[in-house]
């Protein structure tokens, strides 16, 4: 949470500097440069917090004296994840986004192109994998698509700034008009970002009516399941029962718990 807050604040401060410079300071670049340096400190702090956290986690879990992780409950509704010997939950795997994404933005601000390319590729691959792993989980899958499109737009924008030699090709331009140059990748990135609205729209068009019609329930609403899962977190024990609704019977609940978790 601390790393995420620093990352979001750093990005906001960085973009604020550019907008303030363009609209209120004559576009001389002085405000933008000052905000960029300050954003580098925030992004660097976020990256350092993430990196230290994961290094400590890897050291602890790779130790021969570390406790053996318990097997995942068979009725856990969390999506599967990779590197199960070091990462014990899907949420930990998903949070790797913050490490690589923060590194990507940090090296973008520092204008270190090679490192930016490495972290951009890692972020995109991780986002693609998370989107694939959540394909059987409607809510997680739609949000994963949003993140994937956001990252793709961000990378397209970065490619334009790093590889396009003409400054007017990296300036912000109105989305509703043809760009001054079709090489302006920032203009295309804005449309990719807007496209991220569609997965969320698709989700809520299904989710809200299903909730209002009583077709969405949780495993905790079934007594036999909640008794069998005393140690599950609220995130792991939540499930969308679009097919059966909250009124599933005890036998069906037992089948949910005894069924194997979906394979990767």
């Amino acid at each position: 949470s601390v790393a995420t807050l620093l990352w979001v604040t750093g990005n906001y401060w960085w973009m604020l500097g550019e907008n303030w410079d363009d609209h209120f300071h004559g576009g001389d670049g002085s405000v933008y440069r000052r905000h960029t340096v300050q954003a580098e400190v925030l992004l660097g702090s976020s990256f350092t917090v993430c990196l230290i956290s994961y290094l400590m986690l890897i050291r602890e879990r790779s130790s021969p004296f570390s406790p053996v992780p318990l097997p995942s409950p068979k009725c856990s509704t969390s999506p599967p994840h990779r590197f199960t010997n070091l990462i014990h939950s899907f949420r930990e795997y998903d949070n790797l986004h913050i490490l690589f994404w923060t590194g990507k933005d940090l090296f973008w601000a520092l204008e270190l192109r090679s490192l930016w390319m490495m972290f951009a590729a890692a972020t995109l691959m991780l986002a693609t994998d998370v989107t694939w792993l959540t394909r059987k989980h409607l809510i997680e899958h739609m949000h994963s698509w949003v993140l994937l499109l956001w990252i793709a737009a961000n990378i397209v924008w970065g490619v334009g700034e790093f590889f396009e030699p003409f400054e007017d090709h990296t300036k912000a331009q109105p989305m509703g008009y043809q760009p001054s140059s079709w090489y302006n990748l920032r203009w295309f990135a804005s449309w990719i970002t807007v496209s991220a609205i569609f997965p969320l729209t698709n989700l809520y068009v299904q989710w809200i009516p299903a909730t209002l019609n009583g077709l969405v329930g949780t495993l905790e609403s079934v007594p036999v399941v909640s008794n069998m899962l005393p140690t599950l977190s609220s995130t792991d024990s939540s499930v969308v029962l679009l097919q059966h609704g909250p009124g599933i019977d005890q036998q069906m609940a037992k089948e949910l718990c005894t069924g194997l978790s979906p394979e990767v």
Side-chain angles (χ1 to χ4, degrees), residues 10 21-22 32 45 61 70 73 77 80 94 103 105 116-117 154 174 177 182 186 199 201 219 223 252:
D21 198 81
D22 288 343
Y32 174 68
S45 300
R61 291 180 179 175
L70 296 174
T77 60
D94 188 32
D105 288 349
W116 175 84
M117 291 173 61
N154 204 250
Y177 299 92
W182 290 112
R186 184 170 178 173
T201 303
L219 286 180
M252 189 177 297

Side-chain angles (χ1 to χ4, degrees), residues 7 29 32 36 39 60 62 64 67 77 79 87 109 115 124 127 144 154 175 185 199 201 208 215-216 228 235-236:
W7 168 55
Y32 174 68
T36 300
E60 175 187 347
S62 60
T77 60
I87 298 177
L115 288 173
L124 185 62
S144 297
N154 204 250
M175 293 176 57
L185 296 186
T201 303
I208 294 175
L215 298 177
V216 176
M228 293 173 69
T235 301
D236 285 339

Side-chain angles (χ1 to χ4, degrees), residues 54 57 61 81-84 86-98 126:
Y54 274 95
L57 189 68
R61 291 180 179 175
H81 59 281
R82 313 285 184 189
F83 313 116
T84 53
L86 295 175
I87 298 177
H88 293 174
S89 70
F90 169 77
R91 190 58 55 206
E92 287 184 6
Y93 184 64
D94 188 32
N95 283 342
L96 280 172
H97 270 116
I98 306 300
L126 178 61

Side-chain angles (χ1 to χ4, degrees), residues 72-184:
S72 300
K74 290 184 178 180
C75 55
S76 170
T77 60
S78 292
H81 59 281
R82 313 285 184 189
F83 313 116
T84 53
N85 57 325
L86 295 175
I87 298 177
H88 293 174
S89 70
F90 169 77
R91 190 58 55 206
E92 287 184 6
Y93 184 64
D94 188 32
N95 283 342
L96 280 172
H97 270 116
I98 306 300
L99 175 64
F100 292 106
W101 202 335
T102 303
K104 173 183 67 65
D105 288 349
L106 171 62
F107 297 126
W108 187 353
L110 293 170
E111 299 184 357
L112 299 175
R113 186 169 67 178
S114 297
L115 288 173
W116 175 84
M117 291 173 61
M118 290 172 54
F119 275 80
T123 308
L124 185 62
M125 287 189 293
L126 178 61
T128 303
D129 190 42
V130 168
T131 304
W132 171 255
L133 292 174
T134 58
R135 65 193 181 278
K136 297 182 181 179
H137 302 259
L138 176 64
I139 298 175
E140 293 282 0
H141 190 58
M142 291 298 102
H143 285 95
S144 297
W145 265 112
V146 172
L147 285 176
L148 179 58
L149 290 169
W150 184 6
I151 291 168
N154 204 250
I155 291 174
V156 168
W157 181 0
V159 168
E161 291 211 352
F162 275 117
F163 294 96
E164 177 52 60
F166 300 104
E167 185 178 353
D168 63 324
H169 292 178
T170 63
K171 289 289 185 181
Q173 297 187 14
M175 293 176 57
Y177 299 92
Q178 179 176 318
S180 59
S181 169
W182 290 112
Y183 292 103
N184 189 325

